[in-house]
Amino acid sequence: MKIDIVERNYDVGVRLQTLLEKKIEKLSRYFNDEAVARVVCALEGKRFKLELTVSNKGNIYRSEAYGENMYENIDVVLPKIEKQIIKYASKNRDKLKKGSLDVVGYEYLEKEPEKEEEKKVYKQKVFDLDPITVEDAKEFLENIEHDFYVFLNAETGKVNILYNRKDGELGLIECRY
């Protein structure tokens, strides 16, 4: 597994980097060599944020934690990621390492996650995508009081999604096809 560590307003240091690599490498038992783990360590105000994203053959597992230090955050995100891997393994067994789930015990979980009922598409919406600017999309998002707004970006000609972030700011996703 390839592990990338990104620092944002935070110096990871050798000790934390070594610990991150050691603990994340344990998840490689579920994946073939193509898996990539991306760790983002950030200091936001007085809170430490750790994001872990593992991608493998088109599957993405992601978790984040905020806390008083990065070491505690590691112990929060790793069980979450492992739970996601186990939970979706039955659907995506072909994307995990052969035999990885046959081993008794888990790396960061005490017990097997409970199986959840598969969610069904409850509602379907159709969007008419008229070309507009990002500034217009901001106004529309505010007016409709939803968490996101889908639009055709007049400047790029691509489908974009403007959304409200947890920190109160806006995020913009540009779709490639």
Side-chain angles (χ1 to χ4, degrees), residues 84-98:
Q84 291 173 26
I85 294 166
I86 303 301
K87 188 174 159 186
Y88 295 108
S90 61
K91 296 178 188 176
N92 301 305
R93 221 173 253 285
D94 59 319
K95 295 184 180 183
L96 294 179
K97 189 184 220 177
K98 188 172 179 135

Side-chain angles (χ1 to χ4, degrees), residues 43-66:
L43 180 60
E44 295 181 356
K46 294 182 180 179
R47 296 186 326 163
F48 295 92
K49 178 181 178 184
L50 186 130
E51 294 176 25
L52 174 59
T53 306
V54 179
S55 56
N56 181 57
K57 296 184 180 180
N59 261 13
I60 297 176
Y61 306 94
R62 184 182 179 286
S63 180
E64 65 183 46
Y66 293 87

Side-chain angles (χ1 to χ4, degrees), residues 66-81:
Y66 293 87
E68 295 182 16
N69 68 61
M70 286 297 180
Y71 295 92
E72 290 176 8
N73 290 347
I74 296 168
D75 295 332
V76 172
V77 298
L78 287 170
K80 287 181 180 179
I81 292 285

Side-chain angles (χ1 to χ4, degrees), residues 18 26-27 45 49 69 101 109 124 129 166 173 176:
T18 304
K26 289 182 180 182
L27 294 176
K49 178 181 178 184
N69 68 61
L101 298 172
L109 295 175
Q124 182 174 342
L129 298 178
K166 291 177 187 175
I173 299 171
R176 294 189 206 167

